[in-house]
Amino acid sequence: MKFTRISVVFTDTKLILFTQLINAAIALVFTLTLAKYGLARDFGFCVITILALSVLLDVVDFGACSKYSRELAGKRISKKQYFAVMNRKSLALCMCMPVIVFILLYSNQSISSAVLFSLYPIFWARQNYIQQYLVTKGLMHPSLQLQLADRLCWFCAIPFVLLNLGYNHTYVIPILLGLVLHNIWGTLALRCDDVSWDEVFTVRSSRVSDTRHFGVLSLMSDLANMDIAVVARYADSAGAGTYTLSQRFRTPITMVFQSIVTQLKPITAARESSQIRQLFRSEFPLLLSG
């Protein structure tokens, strides 16, 4: 009887919210550790670099992940077609690596940190496709486990600080470790859903779909973070770093709504109106509290 009550109380939406709270707490420890470790200028540079790479990622992907995950949820494309898009986008980001490395070297960064930063958009894009697939297929528990394992890797920053590792390496290596783990473990999770190796690593697909609306929306979301770049332009990297640290505290406000949206996406893609109403009825108290 007790187990029944637990399963009722901890719905998928509440589990998503709980995981987001843990991830936010880990991110806060990571941010404060890095903010105290180096100069505000160094912190600001790393944040702005990650922001710029995220914009590059959205330009290259241009809404394909959002578009094709909805197509997959609506059973309008196959799993092989979905992962073919993921692999083509990954190859496109690989081709951007030399340009990223050159720009970072021009900014007086070391070759090792330049290469590490250039790997970020590739692994981030793949983990995004894996996450969208798991959510679309209703595999919420593996999805949340991957997110938590990814974020736990950020604690590696603490020993790096104690070892007095270079600032850029201390910032980017824990993030990359989490993304690499996410990709490896996520690929194995896909295998548990009867996804073959041929489907996971294929690049051949005749499926071509218009993603411009999703691409424009993703670029518009990037504009919400451009305030950091504006501060860096008219102040300096130190000012941008200080400003970014304060802006990190606004994220928890949206967590309740993000957890519900995560549940809502595959349902709306499948156009199941009855399930949409059921979700809002069951999660209304949580939505109201948010």
Side-chain angles (χ1 to χ4, degrees):
M1 188 68 178
K2 292 181 179 179
F3 291 104
T4 304
R5 289 177 181 175
I6 291 175
S7 65
V8 171
V9 173
F10 288 98
T11 61
D12 283 345
T13 306
K14 293 182 178 67
L15 284 174
I16 293 169
L17 178 59
F18 181 69
T19 305
Q20 287 180 341
L21 289 172
I22 297 176
N23 290 342
I26 296 173
L28 180 61
V29 173
F30 175 79
T31 302
L32 293 176
T33 301
L34 270 294
K36 292 176 63 178
Y37 174 51
L39 300 174
R41 178 184 66 249
D42 299 325
F43 181 73
F45 173 81
C46 291
V47 170
I48 293 170
T49 301
I50 291 294
L51 172 62
L53 293 174
S54 299
V55 174
L56 172 65
L57 167 62
D58 285 338
V59 170
V60 173
D61 188 66
F62 206 65
C65 183
S66 298
K67 171 69 175 182
Y68 285 101
S69 62
R70 284 161 174 75
E71 294 285 292
L72 184 66
K75 299 181 180 180
R76 292 180 288 274
I77 63 170
S78 65
K79 292 181 289 187
K80 187 173 184 177
Q81 290 172 325
Y82 177 81
F83 290 113
V85 176
M86 177 186 76
N87 293 320
R88 289 203 300 269
K89 296 298 182 179
S90 300
L91 290 174
L93 288 167
C94 287
M95 296 174 64
C96 295
M97 280 186 65
V99 178
I100 298 171
V101 171
F102 175 78
I103 293 174
L104 291 175
L105 290 176
Y106 184 76
S107 303
N108 297 321
Q109 303 302 312
S110 65
I111 180 66
S112 57
S113 64
V115 172
L116 288 172
F117 273 112
S118 67
L119 291 172
Y120 169 80
I122 301 170
F123 286 111
W124 174 258
R126 295 186 68 85
Q127 75 90 23
N128 195 25
Y129 275 89
I130 291 171
Q131 276 291 321
Q132 292 286 356
Y133 177 88
L134 294 175
V135 172
T136 296
K137 292 297 184 178
L139 302 172
M140 200 59 65
H141 288 188
S143 169
L144 298 178
Q145 290 169 1
L146 283 170
Q147 291 179 37
L148 187 57
D150 182 339
R151 200 56 63 90
L152 285 172
C153 290
W154 290 19
F155 280 129
C156 292
I158 296 175
F160 290 166
V161 168
L162 297 176
L163 293 172
N164 201 28
L165 197 67
Y167 192 89
N168 287 1
H169 296 80
T170 303
Y171 188 96
V172 73
I173 289 177
I175 296 175
L176 279 180
L177 286 175
L179 292 176
V180 170
L181 176 63
H182 203 132
N183 276 262
I184 295 173
W185 191 359
T187 302
L188 296 176
L190 297 177
R191 294 282 293 154
C192 294
D193 192 45
D194 295 328
V195 180
S196 66
W197 292 120
D198 179 60
E199 289 174 324
V200 173
F201 295 107
T202 185
V203 293
R204 297 181 180 180
S205 175
S206 60
R207 180 73 182 187
V208 177
S209 182
D210 185 8
T211 65
R212 67 179 183 274
H213 299 299
F214 292 91
V216 170
L217 286 174
S218 65
L219 293 180
M220 287 177 65
S221 66
D222 288 330
L223 292 177
N225 294 319
M226 290 306 293
D227 51 355
I228 301 171
V230 171
V231 172
R233 171 65 179 83
Y234 290 100
D236 51 26
S237 296
T242 305
Y243 176 78
T244 302
L245 185 60
S246 65
Q247 292 297 86
R248 296 289 186 183
F249 292 94
R250 67 185 176 185
T251 303
I253 301 173
T254 63
M255 282 186 179
V256 170
F257 306 105
Q258 288 175 349
S259 62
I260 294 175
V261 167
T262 302
Q263 283 282 88
L264 193 60
K265 282 181 179 179
I267 301 176
T268 54
R271 300 176 183 177
E272 298 287 347
S273 57
S274 60
Q275 292 185 25
I276 295 173
R277 290 192 295 270
Q278 181 180 352
L279 176 64
F280 276 105
R281 282 197 300 266
S282 61
E283 303 298 348
F284 181 75
L286 184 64
L287 185 62
L288 188 62
S289 68

